[in-house]
Amino acid sequence: MTDKDSPLRLTRRGRALLGLGARTVLRRVGARLGGGSVESWQTVGEDWFATLSELRGAAMKLGQLASQYADLLPPALAEALNRLQAQAQPVDSKQVRAWLIARWTPEQYAQLRELGDTPIGVASIGQVHHATLVDGREVAIKVQYPGVAQAIDRDVRNLGRLLRMARVLPVENARLDQLLDEIRLRLHEECDYIDEAARMQRFREGSLTAGVRIPALIRELCTADVLVTEYLPAASLQEARTWAPSLRDALGATLLQWTVHQLVELREVHADPHPGNFGFLPDGRVVVYDFGCTRALSADHLLHLQRMTGFGLRRNYPAMHRELGRVGSLSDPGKPMSPRLEALYRNLTDICMAAIERPRFDFSEPQIIDDLRDTARQSLAQWRKFQPLPDLVFVARMISGTYWLLRGLGSRVELLSPLESFAASAEAGDPAS
């Protein structure tokens, strides 16, 4: 273990996060006194970005996850956290070779003939290299950075202190603790490559949906912190964006079909829909690479998503309100729906239905997300009546990430029929519907 990964270094990580919280509070106070709130949040955002990207590992990952609440955060802070999605500096391939020597048996390492100098993927927890085995097989090797797994619990505790100190999320402390526990569990899973291999195989066997490819495991080379799969190259989102509209539409339809398939058939979702985890093929197929972060879905939570979809399609706002109260998404579930809250339900639903009811919705249009954000920011007092569901945090991440993938592709996809089918199985015999 290097000094960078030592216990002393981890203590510095904690001090860095707590110092970030203190600076955030001081800048917010200064903004209120001086009237420069926009400029202050830009400074705060740059501070969060610089601190979290420097810390790498779980701390940086936590910053990326915090960006999921972009609509609840000041825009300048949300933008800085979103930049963390693509901010990770690679480790030299010589260091990666040293890690492989330490983590593999001599027999395993003897199977490696060539390791690419430049990583084909870099993230907060590890990086991926193209390699060739002595038998000629081309593979992808994902290697975890040292010390990441050991830092998770401490980083999550420090993130909790940071969020409570900075007060940037309108979430009750008890619910925030539940959210942090959920994040901590998912991070521990993401750092266990043996578990990831099992999840990858489970998705590979269950995702028989046409058009989705998942690389095969090279099991004899997989360890707790090294994951090896077949090398399955594909075009990036940026490259696929330049393809013919009909092909991009087909790719979008496949992504939407696979999203529903995960929810209904697998009851488990790929919860890290970063563009770097997806590849696109010119025959219309989609390649899914990384299964470090997945989330199982209970029957009741699936029912909740199906019910909410059906209520939204029929604009049944009283039923929508009762359902949110049933699952614990309302701060005061026994309180009747107020006219202002009904107006919020209506405004959000109208925006979504304007897209859903089109023959094909063009995801390249930015207006829907702008309208949703404007509506949310104009109704901040009403948003305080909602609380996030920890069990659905990563499911929501999958759904929102799929939207951004479709938008990045510029796909035009029919939405009404798939959503009606998704909702239909929950409506049969459901008195609440």
Side-chain angles (χ1 to χ4, degrees):
M1 178 180 291
T2 66
D3 177 66
K4 188 173 184 178
D5 306 310
S6 68
L8 178 60
R9 178 67 180 180
L10 298 180
T11 301
R12 289 172 181 164
R13 291 158 69 90
R15 290 204 299 266
L17 288 169
L18 293 178
L20 177 59
R23 293 193 299 273
T24 300
V25 172
L26 291 174
R27 285 172 178 141
R28 291 185 65 186
V29 171
R32 286 196 293 268
L33 294 176
S37 59
V38 174
E39 294 79 4
S40 176
W41 277 121
Q42 289 173 343
T43 303
V44 168
E46 290 301 320
D47 194 6
W48 279 55
F49 174 80
T51 302
L52 292 171
S53 59
E54 170 67 20
L55 292 176
R56 192 192 281 277
M60 180 176 171
K61 187 74 173 181
L62 290 167
Q64 294 172 347
L65 292 173
S67 69
Q68 182 175 335
Y69 293 93
D71 291 339
L72 302 180
L73 297 170
L77 179 56
E79 188 277 333
L81 291 176
N82 281 326
R83 283 163 53 201
L84 284 168
Q85 297 286 353
Q87 179 72 17
Q89 297 300 316
V91 172
D92 185 86
S93 62
K94 292 181 180 179
Q95 181 64 63
V96 173
R97 277 188 174 274
W99 292 341
L100 290 175
I101 292 171
R103 298 172 187 184
W104 272 345
T105 65
E107 293 77 16
Q108 287 174 317
Y109 188 78
Q111 294 190 48
L112 179 65
R113 185 174 75 191
E114 184 178 355
L115 181 73
D117 289 334
T118 303
I120 57 177
V122 182
S124 57
I125 287 176
Q127 63 188 52
V128 183
H129 286 256
H130 174 226
T132 306
L133 303 182
V134 292
D135 61 9
R137 286 180 294 174
E138 292 188 85
V139 298
I141 301 178
K142 182 165 74 169
V143 185
Q144 188 176 130
Y145 300 129
V148 169
Q150 292 78 7
I152 289 174
D153 290 346
R154 187 174 300 176
D155 281 346
V156 172
R157 284 197 303 271
N158 288 328
L159 178 72
R161 294 167 182 159
L162 167 62
L163 292 174
R164 291 185 186 91
M165 184 184 298
R167 296 182 181 179
V168 294
L169 282 180
V171 177
E172 297 173 353
N173 280 339
R175 193 59 61 94
L176 178 60
D177 288 339
Q178 293 174 336
L179 287 171
L180 291 170
D181 283 342
E182 176 71 10
I183 289 172
R184 180 179 55 80
L185 289 172
R186 299 286 80 77
L187 285 171
H188 275 296
E189 287 181 356
E190 193 164 353
C191 285
D192 188 337
Y193 287 1
I194 297 296
D195 275 357
E196 179 177 353
R199 293 191 295 273
M200 196 170 192
Q201 185 63 27
R202 191 162 60 242
F203 271 82
R204 182 176 161 83
E205 294 173 352
S207 292
L208 301 178
T209 305
V212 174
R213 291 194 63 186
I214 297 172
L217 291 162
I218 312 299
R219 289 187 174 276
E220 64 269 23
L221 296 180
C222 293
T223 71
D225 44 18
V226 178
L227 185 73
V228 186
T229 69
E230 67 171 318
Y231 179 59
L232 193 57
S236 67
L237 182 70
Q238 291 77 12
E239 182 179 348
R241 172 72 183 185
T242 67
W243 292 351
S246 59
L247 177 51
R248 290 185 280 118
D249 294 347
L251 292 168
T254 297
L255 279 171
L256 182 61
Q257 181 182 6
W258 192 61
T259 297
V260 175
H261 178 76
Q262 292 174 76
L263 293 169
V264 177
E265 303 297 334
L266 299 180
R267 300 284 181 89
E268 186 174 6
V269 300
H270 181 286
D272 193 6
H274 184 276
N277 291 335
F278 290 79
F280 304 92
L281 299 172
D283 61 4
R285 291 179 295 174
V286 175
V287 182
V288 187
Y289 294 111
D290 191 295
F291 287 82
C293 185
T294 71
R295 183 58 163 96
L297 187 66
S298 71
D300 187 60
H301 284 127
L302 174 60
L303 178 64
H304 169 62
L305 295 175
Q306 291 171 317
R307 281 179 170 175
M308 289 298 291
T309 301
F311 298 151
L313 291 173
R314 295 191 307 278
R315 294 178 166 87
N316 188 341
Y317 309 122
M320 188 182 296
H321 184 73
R322 289 194 299 272
E323 177 64 14
L324 290 171
R326 182 186 75 83
V327 298
S329 278
L330 298 177
S331 299
D332 189 355
K335 191 172 183 179
M337 178 177 61
S338 67
R340 289 185 178 180
L341 196 53
E342 182 177 2
L344 175 60
Y345 293 146
R346 180 182 298 107
N347 291 338
L348 293 174
T349 302
D350 286 347
I351 293 169
C352 293
M353 290 303 296
I356 292 169
E357 291 175 337
R358 298 185 195 181
R360 289 195 302 173
F361 175 63
D362 187 346
F363 278 84
S364 65
E365 296 182 14
Q367 192 60 45
I368 182 173
I369 198 69
D370 293 337
D371 290 344
L372 288 171
R373 284 172 172 166
D374 288 344
T375 299
R377 287 166 185 157
Q378 291 168 14
S379 307
L380 288 179
Q382 302 305 312
W383 280 111
R384 296 189 181 94
K385 299 177 181 179
F386 299 98
Q387 291 295 319
L389 289 175
D391 289 341
L392 290 179
V393 165
F394 285 86
V395 177
R397 188 173 183 229
M398 180 273 286
I399 294 171
S400 64
T402 302
Y403 165 82
W404 287 106
L405 287 171
L406 291 166
R407 180 165 171 175
L409 284 169
S411 299
R412 298 165 299 176
V413 181
E414 181 196 1
L415 297 175
L416 185 57
S417 293
L419 291 176
E420 286 178 335
S421 297
F422 177 69
S425 59
E427 296 177 355
D430 182 0
S433 63

